[in-house]
Amino acid sequence: MTQADFSSIYKTPDLPNHPEEILHGIGLSSGIAMGPAFMLDSVSPEVNEYKIIKKNLKLEIERFEKARERSYNQIAQLLSKAEITSSSNDSEEITLLLEAHLGMLYSSRFVRGVRKRIEENRLNAEAAVRYEMEDMERVFAELDDSYIASRGQDVSDVGKRLLRNLTDQKYTAIKNIPDGGILLSEEITPMDLASLPSNRIAGLMSLVGTRQGHTGIMARSMGIPAVSSTGSMPKHVHSNSYVIIDGAKGILIVNPTEETWKKYRRQKEIVEIEHDQATRQKDFPAYTKDKVEVLVQANLTHFSDMDRILKSGASGIGLVRTEFMFMGREDLPDAREQFAKLKAVVKASKKLPVTIRTMDIGGDKMAPALNKRFGIGPNPALGLRAIRLSLSAPELLEAQMEAILRAAVYGNVDILVPMVSSVDEIKQVRAVMESTLKDLRKKNVKVPSKLPKLGAMIEIPAAIFIADELAKECDFFSLGTNDLVQYTLAADRGDEAMGQFYNPVHPAILKMIKICVDACDKANIPLSVCGELAGDPTILPLFIAMGIRKIAVQPLTVPDVKKWVRTMNVGDFKQCLEQGDVTTQEGIDKLITAMSRCWDIDKVVH
Ligand code: PEP
Ligand code: MG
């Protein structure tokens, strides 16, 4: 992973003599971080509650308005900073978040609610903010939709900022962290990360959060080693404490002994040497020892990923998640706007293949304009999502198709359809593609000379069981393991509590992948795997043994994954698979262990 240079910190510091404490949790983002501990003050300021006499109500409202204006200006300042550093990796994410916070401070239900409590209940402004914030947090927390529920965090962030400004308490939090420090908090929000100059922190620990959660995703894309779910906060953090984060193993060590510190420093040096070497060789193709090529592509989740993708050595973009053009805004992007954005991606990719997916809105990815029009439904993960949504409003698909076809003029583009569950859906999309191309030609708009290839995401169990029929209508398949696991095992991919049920190597999943591989072989169409699993070194050998030769992973992991592939031997993995038992969990666990022993996993992956 790309990390800032904190080398002076990694020299053994004067480690104070506090008891070493080791906490085990979930690894959110791999890598080793070592540095001074910094406890983030994420609790809201203490506030008093008192009644305001009638003649002072106007003054109290004014006090609230001043705090609101101050909070607004602070966020606006952060926003302009984020826009200036727009080359920084996370600007898109940060901008959306800050804009949402600004909206909340403008004429929102939140602001109206606070004013009402001051005027009608004669409450002081602090208490009014606190009650309104708690009420709204409760409402959000009760919602089933994880994306909307996460807006509750935004209410809490904005509310705490208002309280700090009302009580004149300094924001003692994240901006005071020393360079190379490690953040420890009950909860680190994306907003907290957004308010940091990039490369400022070495690592982070948050008591809550899943790998699929916003903070985890941001930490990974920023290359910051991170751990969550340690069960409790460390007990012995002092102002001079040092900590170590082992992001791959999900371990937090507080007050390490000198011996532990040196052990991890050695390990960190090895990781860095390995990563440097991988980066130097990033443009070499990824052939296994027995000369089998594995194509390693990158996923583009935000347009700001482009920089990292271009530097990663990826042999193309395996998945462009176009839904991010639709999120975090009140209106819809028209065909022209989508074209401009996609054209930029395709042009920047030179002639490398770019697989553009039609929008996958719904589930945990919401677009306000579409929510307003279609509603959210009682269970969004099983509601009007992805291609079902696009086909129910043909003008949306037509606009997107126009944008993709026009962008395809500038490079090598394939089109991917998310959440396919029937052959008919692919036929309908192909018909829209053909008619859009015809219309564009009629209007003398430049279009590619031949139609882009059309593929289906295989991520709904139904698609697996009609894979043979689907393959006849598709030019390629892309396995979306994130959703396939969720829908097969009925385990929400964003819910921490479902961790033990969200098992990507369940016998049912392997059986389904096998069906998919066979269908592609029979129809002679290519198959790739996108989603987080493809970048997991313990699972990648299974995919390779099963015949998968193309994967798409997080941009930052591309050089490492290519390096792993070069140390693998497909023949060995195939032999393990032939001799293994994939019908039981015990058999699969043994198989994964056997495969890990066949290659240098411990030497190459840290
Ligand atoms: C998947 O489901 O595996 C996938 C790649 O799509 P997304 O994560 O965007 O749902
Ligand atoms: Mg998916």
Side-chain angles (χ1 to χ4, degrees), residues 1-3 29 85-95 193 198-199 214-224 275 278-279 282-283 296-318 321 324 345 348-349 352 532 553-560 562:
M1 295 291 114
T2 316
Q3 274 178 250
S29 172
T85 53
S86 60
S87 62
S88 94
N89 303 337
D90 322 285
S91 60
E92 181 118 2
E93 186 91 329
I94 295 168
T95 306
L193 286 181
S198 55
N199 288 355
H214 249 78
T215 305
I217 290 171
M218 260 178 92
R220 278 202 299 286
S221 74
M222 291 166 89
I224 300 172
H275 184 69
T279 305
K282 69 182 169 51
D283 294 320
V296 184
Q297 299 191 324
N299 289 336
L300 185 145
T301 300
H302 303 279
F303 291 103
S304 56
D305 281 337
M306 202 57 216
D307 253 8
R308 278 169 291 200
I309 292 177
L310 294 176
K311 288 181 196 146
S312 72
S315 56
I317 306 183
R321 289 183 162 106
F324 286 91
V345 169
S349 306
L352 287 174
E532 300 289 314
V553 297
Q554 273 258 4
L556 281 174
T557 59
V558 169
D560 293 309
K562 288 177 88 171

Side-chain angles (χ1 to χ4, degrees), residues 147 323 325-333 359-376 389:
Y147 177 74
E323 50 275 15
M325 291 192 281
F326 294 76
M327 292 168 68
R329 57 191 285 174
E330 296 295 324
D331 59 342
L332 286 173
M359 65 162 175
D360 181 10
I361 290 293
D364 57 347
K365 292 177 261 188
M366 294 290 177
L370 295 172
N371 289 353
K372 251 186 240 156
R373 184 162 157 198
F374 296 100
I376 293 173
L389 178 65

